[in-house]
Amino acid sequence: MAYNNDSDSRSAPVGIKLLIAGGFGVGKTTFVGAVSEITPVTTEETLTVASIGTDDLRDIKDKTTTTVAMDFGRLTLDDSYVLYLFGMPGQERFWSMWNEMSDGALAAVVLTDTRRLGDCFSAIDFFEHRRIPFIVALNSFDDAPVYEIAEVRAALDLPSHVPVVHCDARESRSSAQVLVSLVRYLLTSATHMSRSTTSLGAGQ
Amino acid sequence: MPRLEEEQWYDDDAGRLVRPFLVTRGRTAPTVELDLLSLVQSTGAVEPTKLDLDHAHALQLCTMKISVAEVAGLMRLPATVTKVLLADLIDAGALLAHEPLPAADPEDLKMLEALLHGLQQRF
């Protein structure tokens, strides 16, 4: 017998979808690669992106082909849970894909380059609007100025409950730590929710 | 014996040398609804050697349970095209699709604790 189902009807592990968002070139691919157990794969999800035409996905003149791509990584945590990481394309013209990509997502990481903070505004707006919980991770670039978390929080006008953390997307441990921070944040929020179902927005 | 030399048809600079929708003969709508995270697995009922290259390649990637997103990435095809190919294989009895995964509940404490534990163990 290949399988022993125990009393549990679930034979496949539960897949948990996490989104990695942020501006173009902020290190999303690197981040996904740092925590994924498979070599991250790249795929293109939607064909109807207005600015590239309807079916002309691989136009050789189109230098942005790779940036249409969505990075995909996987991390098996145990017999019950598998994490799927989706890197969302950063540029404005692909925002139409975000809705579909974010369906069923548990939460998100907004990866940020302190030299170009403004690049992540749209991702933050999007997750706030879709009510997808997120945290902000400041990716360390060697030549980027180091800011205090409080300064960044103020510049991004983030609600006080949203965590902001530093990371180095090239390092597995550092990137995984971002996911740990994200899960801790979700745990805190979930615990608050179950404790006080009536007083929404008590933190603000 | 036919050999699967998919890689020959991929050029690092130009990309795929066969336009994606030639693979599906222009079809964009899969006959079976598949999600990016739907898991598919080969039934073993159809020999890859009896299929055309793209279908055979897709089938060979599915010996273990694998998500649609991963197949698309490994085949370097848009997900929509991949879904059409996989749906063909499901129709032919070559693949079995598992239900798309339900969205995780952000307030499921048991799941969140398992995630936290799993991440801390792994790294």
Side-chain angles (χ1 to χ4, degrees):
Chain A
M1 277 257 259
Y3 297 104
N4 176 10
N5 285 332
D6 292 336
S7 57
D8 197 338
S9 60
R10 202 173 60 209
S11 55
V14 175
I16 294 165
K17 182 172 176 181
L18 295 180
L19 305 170
I20 313 300
F24 178 62
V26 75
K28 297 184 293 288
T29 308
T30 311
F31 185 98
V32 172
V35 286
S36 177
E37 68 200 4
I38 54 167
T39 305
V41 292
T42 299
T43 184
E44 298 164 23
E45 169 57 352
T46 301
L47 308 171
T48 47
V49 178
S51 59
I52 6 176
T54 49
D55 60 356
D56 200 13
L57 271 179
R58 284 284 179 184
D59 192 318
I60 287 163
K61 295 194 299 292
D62 183 7
K63 295 283 193 243
T64 61
T65 302
T66 54
T67 60
V68 185
M70 170 192 84
D71 301 303
F72 172 79
R74 165 160 54 85
L75 179 62
T76 306
L77 292 177
D78 55 28
D79 294 342
S80 309
Y81 298 104
V82 181
L83 274 185
Y84 291 104
L85 302 165
F86 285 79
M88 296 166 78
Q91 295 99 317
E92 202 172 324
R93 64 184 178 286
F94 303 126
W95 292 353
S96 59
M97 297 171 69
W98 288 6
N99 261 323
E100 190 180 344
M101 285 184 66
S102 60
D103 274 349
L106 176 71
V109 172
V110 176
L111 206 54
T112 304
D113 177 349
T114 53
R115 295 166 301 184
R116 294 177 292 147
L117 271 186
D119 285 4
C120 71
F121 288 158
S122 51
I124 289 174
D125 285 346
F126 176 80
F127 294 130
E128 282 180 342
H129 184 70
R130 284 285 307 254
R131 295 173 183 270
I132 294 172
F134 67 94
I135 68 169
V136 173
L138 308 176
N139 192 11
S140 316
F141 287 88
D142 293 337
D143 54 342
V146 178
Y147 293 103
E148 294 295 324
I149 297 276
E151 291 178 276
V152 175
R153 181 186 294 287
L156 294 177
D157 194 21
L158 284 173
S160 59
H161 59 85
V162 175
V164 181
V165 297
H166 286 288
C167 78
D168 183 339
R170 295 165 299 185
E171 301 278 340
S172 292
R173 283 184 70 91
S174 179
S175 296
Q177 198 53 47
V178 173
L179 299 183
V180 167
S181 302
L182 177 64
V183 176
R184 280 190 199 283
Y185 170 56
L186 296 175
L187 267 169
T188 310
S189 309
T191 312
H192 280 202
M193 286 295 278
S194 62
R195 274 202 205 124
S196 58
T197 46
T198 48
S199 59
L200 289 171
Q204 198 50 279
Chain B
M1 188 171 141
R3 291 189 53 204
L4 302 171
E5 293 174 331
E6 178 69 23
E7 293 305 314
Q8 285 185 0
W9 298 96
Y10 195 88
D11 179 275
D12 282 341
D13 295 325
R16 223 181 134 86
L17 299 180
V18 177
R19 291 269 178 156
F21 284 92
L22 279 182
V23 171
T24 64
R25 284 175 249 115
R27 292 169 302 150
T28 56
T31 52
V32 179
E33 196 169 324
L34 292 167
D35 182 71
L36 273 178
L37 293 187
S38 298
L39 298 175
V40 289
Q41 188 171 21
S42 166
T43 58
V46 177
E47 279 293 311
T49 50
K50 297 207 160 67
L51 301 167
D52 65 59
L53 287 182
D54 285 298
H55 284 98
H57 187 187
L59 185 57
Q60 288 185 328
L61 293 171
C62 303
T63 49
M64 304 281 277
K65 246 180 226 167
I66 186 169
S67 63
V68 171
E70 221 165 320
V71 176
L74 292 169
M75 292 192 72
R76 306 194 198 202
L77 281 172
T80 313
V81 173
T82 309
K83 286 177 189 170
V84 173
L85 286 179
L86 294 176
D88 289 345
L89 290 168
I90 291 165
D91 287 341
L95 274 189
L96 196 67
H98 298 262
E99 290 283 300
L101 298 157
D105 173 8
E107 287 164 36
D108 180 348
L109 289 172
K110 182 171 157 272
M111 177 267 296
L112 293 174
E113 271 155 17
L115 274 191
L116 186 61
H117 183 73
L119 282 167
Q120 286 171 333
Q121 291 255 306
R122 280 290 302 252
F123 295 94

